Amino acid sequence: SFYNNGIIPSCNPQNCKDPKGDKIPSLPLAIKQGIADLHKAGKKILVSFLPGTGENTWGNLPAFWKAFASACQYMLTEWDIDGFDWDCEEGECPPVNFGSGQDWNNPKVQKQVEQIFTTLRSLKCNKNRGFPGESRPIITWTGETTWQFSGLTDISPYTPLIDYFCTMNENYSIQDPQQMLKDYKSFQGKGMPIEKIVCGVKAGGC
């Protein structure tokens, strides 16, 4: 079954700096206590972050990826969390900086997306955190199925890199189960194992 996650604030990747910088937010004590309480209850905690549209977001320079990895490692260690969710639910997804706007099938886009997930998977969690039985973080990918991911024809390159594909459908509600099932099964046909697909609808659709 899918992990019951708590979602806490994070920085936009374009603002991620070295942990000695001032862009990684400190957690209020109440949130830290909330994380501890959820862990005591056996829950896993992921940070969810948006792609961002800043000019330097997802830069190609090695220095960018080094800073991104450093910032995320800092959050894993200091915030005592279990992983990350890339929440690709805004208009610029994939980000324009990937080189082709909404074209998920462009090789440059695929390379950038893979680098996001491989960077995150290379990090280490605190003891008893992260993916069960491993020291790496849990990685999920969230996106809206009917428009942002409609052009994603082949998900198979990413399936070894993510643990769950968290789909969000803003056109159908849980009152349209047959349509939702048809929509989600289409992702299975694109190379995403059905056991890795998590179904979601907007709050107003419930």
Side-chain angles (χ1 to χ4, degrees):
S1 61
F2 180 57
Y3 296 96
N4 192 351
N5 303 314
I7 303 299
I8 58 178
S10 177
C11 60
N12 185 299
Q14 74 191 72
N15 293 330
C16 287
K17 293 184 179 296
D18 185 271
K20 295 180 181 179
D22 61 357
K23 291 297 186 179
I24 302 175
S26 297
L27 289 183
L29 291 178
I31 295 182
K32 287 185 177 181
Q33 185 60 53
I35 292 173
D37 291 343
L38 287 169
H39 276 142
K40 288 179 182 178
K43 310 299 183 183
K44 294 290 186 179
I45 312 299
L46 307 187
V47 163
S48 184
F49 58 89
L50 295 173
T53 57
E55 181 178 350
N56 296 319
T57 304
W58 309 117
N60 292 315
L61 298 177
F64 172 87
W65 291 105
K66 182 178 179 180
F68 175 64
S70 178
C72 291
Q73 181 62 65
Y74 177 88
M75 286 185 276
L76 282 174
T77 303
E78 298 299 322
W79 295 8
D80 196 30
I81 58 174
D82 297 277
F84 298 95
D85 169 60
W86 191 39
D87 187 1
C88 207
E89 288 190 76
E90 62 181 39
E92 297 295 349
C93 198
V96 293
N97 306 74
F98 281 15
S100 59
Q102 298 286 341
D103 185 3
W104 287 105
N105 305 301
N106 182 286
K108 183 178 180 180
V109 172
Q110 180 176 324
K111 181 179 179 181
Q112 293 276 49
V113 174
E114 289 177 345
Q115 188 159 3
I116 292 170
F117 296 135
T118 54
T119 298
L120 294 176
R121 286 178 69 93
S122 71
L123 307 178
K124 298 193 70 172
C125 294
N126 293 339
K127 185 177 180 180
N128 298 322
R129 301 290 181 251
F131 195 87
E134 302 182 33
S135 62
R136 68 168 178 84
I138 299 166
I139 307 298
T140 64
W141 186 7
T142 297
E144 210 287 328
T145 63
T146 58
W147 56 290
Q148 282 147 338
F149 283 157
S150 60
L152 184 56
T153 59
D154 184 9
I155 309 175
S156 60
Y158 312 113
T159 54
L161 304 176
I162 60 176
D163 298 301
Y164 292 98
F165 195 84
C166 305
T167 57
M168 178 59 64
N169 192 311
E170 297 181 357
N171 290 336
Y172 308 119
S173 75
I174 57 176
Q175 299 176 17
D176 304 312
Q178 294 299 321
Q179 183 59 55
M180 286 186 64
L181 178 61
K182 180 180 178 181
D183 186 48
Y184 291 120
K185 282 184 74 68
S186 71
F187 275 79
Q188 184 182 15
K190 294 180 180 183
M192 177 59 65
I194 194 71
E195 65 271 15
K196 283 192 171 188
I197 299 176
V198 181
C199 303
V201 294
K202 62 181 180 180
C206 293

